[in-house]
Amino acid sequence: MIRENQRLLNGLNVLTDGVILLLSLPAAFWLRFYVLPGGTISVPLEAYLLLALVLAATHLFSYAAFGMYHSNRKTRLVRKLTIIWLSGALNMAALLSFLFVQKSVNYSRWTLAVFFLLSCTVLSLKRIVLRVLLRFLRRKGYNLKHVLLVGADAMGRRYLQEIKKDSSLGYQVIGYVASRETSDLNIPYLGGFDHLEQLLEAHRPDEVISAIELEDFHRTPQIIEACEKTGTKLSIIPFYAQYIHSARQFDEFNGIPLMNIRRIPLDNWANAFVKRTIDIIASSLLLILTAPIMLLCAIGVKLSSPGPILFRQERVGLNKKPFQMYKFRSMRVNAAEATGWSSDRDDRKTKFGSFIRKFSLDEFPQFFNVLKGDMSLVGPRPEVPHYVELFKEDVPLYMVKHQVRPGITGWAQVNGFRGDTSIQGRIQHDIYYIEHWSLLFDLKILWITIFGGKFMNSEKLS
């Protein structure tokens, strides 16, 4: 039976990560100048050792900021690995930018590149090996977390389903307590609510999961009292859990806790400021870098068919405010352009329009929308008012997407929800992005967009 000491385990985890980071830079120094050919030492090893201290501190800070050291049982391995590599890339980009401005010390760029690859690889291998070892131990019956479930209705069943999906998490439900026995749960029925305290004394579970429904809500004080008397950790799944986000927040009003059912990180002014600052800087640079391409596109559009160079269309943005979204016109001027969807074989498209759509060049003018503040580089794709009115009645939670700025690319788009695809699937991904936003998440989406061949468009209008 497990008695968690997560603080100690996290401390050991941070310590070993710090040691790996500290050793990776001198190891990279040795590989670069004593193993790989062509290296000339211009900065002594002592300087690299001092830099290793700085890099170790910044990496550990960023890992913690991105949730690296949360409980391993509740975090997927792929998320841990993603944090390691994307956070490492972010730290290296910041370091190289600083060294570019501060040219007094000429660190070897190849050494830093080897450090990045070496540290991320070793840290990833550490977590893979640890996860495999824990999975092996849990299959043998060790390192299991024994849970007693209170409640056997909808939320209790959902909890059991999630546990069964991934046995490597090491949760074992020893049985359930409910007002009546249910035959199809495939776990032992231990008794009713009135026997909970005795059951906790007899079975001594590591945790109690309360998943009671509304009709049993009056049992909540009894459940809390039984757990407190026996010193058992209690976690509660509210009967309205399907309506709230897992990362909910609590406020306080004169001692009364207030739960926000939908947590939006961008409601935090600091997060919003960081995202908007990056949008302004990035869109300005992109407008400069893509100016020659946009000039050629403008000439091509003008020569391809009569009509304006830019296609302007009203879309619904942040806080449901309409704005004009820009694209290079890829179709002949037509009556259905305000609301009509197009297909890959649309007769309204010009030959040049097909070309710029193939490479998503028609979307480049949206960098102006980002600079103006109508849009962001990353966010839910904006929709025309006609479809907003249509979808908000039929698609649950559709209007939640308007609580953030729309984006040129988004989590739904890089997951394949582009064009004539499931609106429900798109909204589910948009809401996941809104509720889980982080700078690292934005960088991940941009990386997939640029290098995964999934650039921008969720629709093709006009």
Side-chain angles (χ1 to χ4, degrees):
M1 183 174 294
I2 299 172
R3 295 303 178 194
E4 288 184 299
N5 194 338
Q6 196 62 48
R7 183 176 298 178
L8 174 62
L9 294 177
N10 280 344
L12 292 174
N13 201 15
V14 173
L15 179 62
T16 54
D17 283 353
V19 171
I20 291 171
L21 290 164
L22 285 172
L23 295 179
S24 292
L25 192 54
F29 180 89
W30 175 76
L31 287 171
R32 174 64 187 98
F33 296 114
Y34 295 97
V35 177
L36 299 176
T40 302
I41 300 176
S42 58
V43 177
L45 176 61
E46 290 77 7
Y48 283 95
L49 294 177
L50 290 174
L51 181 61
L53 291 172
V54 176
L55 288 174
T58 57
H59 278 69
L60 293 177
F61 177 82
S62 60
Y63 293 162
F66 292 130
M68 170 73 81
Y69 300 114
H70 291 168
S71 173
N72 283 326
R73 288 183 188 270
K74 300 176 183 177
T75 307
R76 303 287 182 182
L77 177 61
V78 65
R79 172 166 171 78
K80 299 280 190 181
L81 301 184
T82 301
I83 290 175
I84 288 173
W85 287 90
L86 289 182
S87 182
L90 185 64
N91 276 283
M92 293 310 299
L95 175 62
L96 291 174
S97 299
F98 175 78
L99 294 178
F100 178 78
V101 176
Q102 177 66 276
K103 297 182 179 180
S104 58
V105 181
N106 189 24
Y107 287 102
S108 166
R109 270 45 173 186
W110 277 110
T111 302
L112 298 178
V114 173
F115 162 79
F116 168 73
L117 294 174
L118 184 62
S119 61
C120 290
T121 300
V122 175
L123 288 169
S124 299
L125 288 175
K126 170 197 162 184
R127 277 160 177 81
I128 293 171
V129 170
L130 182 60
R131 191 62 61 100
V132 171
L133 177 61
L134 288 174
R135 183 173 297 179
F136 172 78
L137 291 173
R138 287 163 184 167
R139 280 201 298 264
K140 295 294 184 180
Y142 301 102
N143 194 242
L144 296 179
K145 185 170 185 176
H146 298 88
V147 174
L148 187 147
L149 179 64
V150 178
D153 292 310
M155 294 313 302
R157 292 172 184 272
R158 181 178 170 187
Y159 177 78
L160 290 174
Q161 289 173 357
E162 293 300 321
I163 284 180
K164 292 176 181 178
K165 283 182 181 179
D166 192 350
S167 59
S168 66
L169 295 177
Y171 287 95
Q172 185 178 71
V173 181
I174 61 176
Y176 70 98
V177 171
S179 56
R180 61 189 178 279
E181 184 175 2
T182 304
S183 59
D184 59 345
L185 285 185
N186 297 320
I187 57 174
Y189 174 65
L190 301 180
F193 293 102
D194 293 333
H195 301 95
L196 180 58
E197 185 176 339
Q198 293 89 334
L199 291 169
L200 293 179
E201 291 286 3
H203 294 276
R204 300 188 59 80
D206 296 297
E207 184 174 4
V208 168
I209 300 294
S210 175
I212 57 175
E213 296 296 319
L214 178 60
E215 59 267 24
D216 291 320
F217 184 71
H218 65 281
R219 297 281 190 176
T220 301
Q222 179 183 356
I223 296 170
I224 295 174
E225 183 179 356
C227 291
E228 289 182 344
K229 278 187 177 181
T230 58
T232 309
K233 178 181 177 182
L234 171 65
S235 296
I236 297 176
I237 304 175
F239 59 83
Y240 47 87
Q242 59 182 319
Y243 301 108
I244 65 176
H245 176 237
S246 58
R248 72 271 176 264
Q249 285 184 325
F250 283 89
D251 292 328
E252 182 267 338
F253 175 73
N254 288 342
I256 303 174
L258 303 175
M259 182 175 67
N260 300 319
I261 66 169
R262 193 164 307 283
R263 174 181 178 267
I264 298 181
L266 287 173
D267 283 343
N268 181 290
W269 71 267
N271 290 339
F273 176 79
V274 170
K275 184 173 174 64
R276 181 64 189 138
T277 301
I278 292 175
D279 279 340
I280 292 173
I281 296 172
S283 60
S284 300
L285 291 174
L286 287 169
L287 284 170
I288 295 171
L289 294 174
T290 61
I293 299 175
M294 287 199 283
L295 178 60
L296 294 175
C297 288
I299 295 172
V301 170
K302 194 63 179 178
L303 297 177
S304 63
S305 67
I309 293 173
L310 291 179
F311 171 71
R312 296 175 174 86
Q313 188 177 58
E314 186 177 60
R315 298 291 177 102
V316 180
L318 176 64
N319 297 324
K320 298 175 287 186
K321 293 181 180 178
F323 70 96
Q324 294 292 315
M325 191 182 80
Y326 308 132
K327 296 171 69 173
F328 283 121
R329 182 173 57 85
S330 58
M331 289 187 176
R332 298 175 182 88
V333 177
N334 61 88
E337 62 186 17
T339 61
W341 288 76
S342 70
S343 63
D344 290 336
R345 297 182 178 179
D346 199 310
D347 294 335
R348 296 173 295 169
K349 286 193 295 186
T350 64
K351 290 184 177 179
F352 186 75
S354 298
F355 170 76
I356 60 176
R357 282 193 173 192
K358 180 179 180 180
F359 298 99
S360 295
L361 303 179
D362 60 325
E363 307 286 347
F364 279 14
Q366 287 168 41
F367 296 141
F368 286 106
N369 287 120
V370 176
L371 187 61
K372 287 174 59 181
D374 298 327
M375 297 177 65
S376 175
L377 291 177
V378 181
R381 285 294 291 175
E383 195 56 84
V384 297
H386 169 80
Y387 286 111
V388 171
E389 293 300 315
L390 179 65
F391 294 148
K392 76 177 184 179
E393 300 297 336
D394 300 326
V395 181
L397 306 178
Y398 181 80
M399 298 304 289
V400 174
K401 65 182 288 185
H402 299 107
Q403 295 183 22
V404 300
R405 282 189 178 87
I408 296 179
T409 185
W411 185 234
Q413 284 65 55
V414 299
N415 279 280
F417 290 95
R418 306 184 305 280
D420 190 13
T421 55
S422 167
I423 297 299
Q424 288 81 4
R426 191 180 303 173
I427 290 302
Q428 288 174 2
H429 283 76
D430 285 341
I431 291 176
Y432 181 88
Y433 168 79
I434 291 170
E435 294 179 337
H436 293 82
W437 177 89
S438 68
L439 181 57
L440 187 63
F441 198 4
D442 272 0
L443 292 174
K444 176 180 178 179
I445 293 171
L446 290 172
W447 179 276
I448 298 174
T449 298
I450 298 170
F451 298 105
K454 298 179 179 179
F455 189 62
M456 300 192 218
N457 298 332
S458 65
E459 79 294 304
K460 291 293 185 184
L461 288 167
S462 112

